[in-house]
Amino acid sequence: ALWAVVNNAGIHDGLFIDWTPVDTFKMLMEVNFFGMIRLTKEVLSLLKNSKGRVVNLTSLDGYRPLPSIAAYTSSKHAAEAFTSCLRWEMKWFGVSVHSVNPGTFKTVLAEGAEERIKLLWRKVPGSCKREYGERFSKKILTFTRMFTSNASTQTSLVADAVVHATCSEYPCRRYFPGYDAKFLWKPLRDLVPEFIMDSIIDTFLKFALPRPAATM
């Protein structure tokens, strides 16, 4: 008998929509979204028999979008929607479905962000490069370096959430491991009106990055 399946496969690529090829969007959807669907559908009959569990590692980025990660956050929002629909539909069969939405942790994905951006910038068409400018590209690298260096090293929080979702008698529907997820982004997403959230993001971009060269 199969008690649970944990969908944990995930990749990250792309940056600003202007810079990111459509093929990158497709690649992330293929792994982060369609991979989750394929594996889940393969084992659903076994989970119905055992009245087991599905645990999907989506992301905090599937709970709230942020600029500069459209390809990744789109795939994770799709995974979140799939997880919610599956949870409602599987209640008929006694199968419970749970999502784990980690914040920012020092993982291989985070540590490789700077190199991914450098490679992506080299491939950006010349006209687009002129619109943003070299100063902008250098600043985004500096910001990424600062962001990833401050990422949490407590990856055990994610593992603990997965274990609880899989084994606990009373699992949660959603888990938000990481202090940034639990105490910053989740409250902002849940409690702050969208027009205020837009103002927060606008202010953040204003101070974190220079304006693209073509908008000066």
Side-chain angles (χ1 to χ4, degrees):
L2 178 68
W3 168 248
V5 62
V6 177
N7 284 299
N8 186 39
I11 58 173
H12 199 323
D13 203 357
L15 197 64
F16 299 101
I17 296 169
D18 266 352
W19 299 17
T20 307
V22 172
D23 283 347
T24 299
F25 281 83
K26 291 180 178 178
M27 177 178 67
L28 267 64
M29 290 295 288
E30 182 64 32
V31 175
N32 298 346
F33 178 52
F34 289 112
M36 178 181 291
I37 293 174
R38 276 193 292 268
L39 179 57
T40 302
K41 286 178 69 67
E42 281 291 322
V43 299
L44 265 185
S45 61
L46 296 173
L47 294 173
K48 288 175 184 176
N49 290 337
S50 66
K51 298 190 184 304
R53 296 180 185 175
V54 178
V55 180
N56 290 338
L57 272 87
T58 55
S59 172
L60 182 62
D61 296 317
Y63 195 70
R64 60 94 186 95
L66 282 178
S68 82
I69 53 171
Y72 183 72
T73 198
S74 296
S75 70
K76 292 299 186 176
H77 270 72
E80 273 289 312
F82 170 73
T83 302
S84 293
C85 291
L86 186 69
R87 182 172 66 249
W88 296 322
E89 294 175 12
M90 287 299 108
K91 282 183 179 178
W92 287 323
F93 301 95
V95 176
S96 65
V97 181
H98 313 272
S99 64
V100 179
N101 304 75
T104 305
F105 288 89
K106 204 176 286 287
T107 63
V108 172
L109 290 181
E111 291 174 349
E114 193 174 341
E115 288 305 314
R116 288 198 304 271
I117 292 170
K118 289 177 181 178
L119 179 62
L120 183 61
W121 177 248
R122 288 198 292 269
K123 295 180 179 179
V124 170
S127 59
C128 189
K129 279 185 177 178
R130 289 189 292 273
E131 285 181 345
Y132 284 87
E134 290 292 338
R135 179 169 173 259
F136 187 95
S137 70
K138 290 177 181 176
K139 187 67 176 179
I140 194 67
L141 280 172
T142 302
F143 174 78
T144 300
R145 197 175 301 122
M146 179 193 70
F147 184 76
T148 55
S149 67
N150 288 315
S152 173
T153 58
Q154 293 181 281
T155 52
S156 60
L157 294 173
V158 182
D160 290 344
V162 172
V163 170
H164 191 274
T166 307
C167 302
S168 171
E169 185 177 358
Y170 301 106
C172 304
R173 280 183 305 234
R174 278 198 176 93
Y175 296 80
F176 292 90
Y179 298 113
D180 59 330
K182 188 174 294 184
F183 299 115
L184 175 63
W185 291 113
K186 185 181 185 299
L188 283 175
R189 167 67 174 77
D190 291 347
L191 304 175
V192 175
E194 189 171 17
F195 75 95
I196 296 179
M197 192 66 195
D198 281 355
S199 296
I200 292 171
I201 296 297
D202 289 343
T203 303
F204 165 76
L205 289 174
K206 180 180 178 181
F207 286 99
L209 297 173
R211 291 175 64 91
T215 69
M216 302 289 281

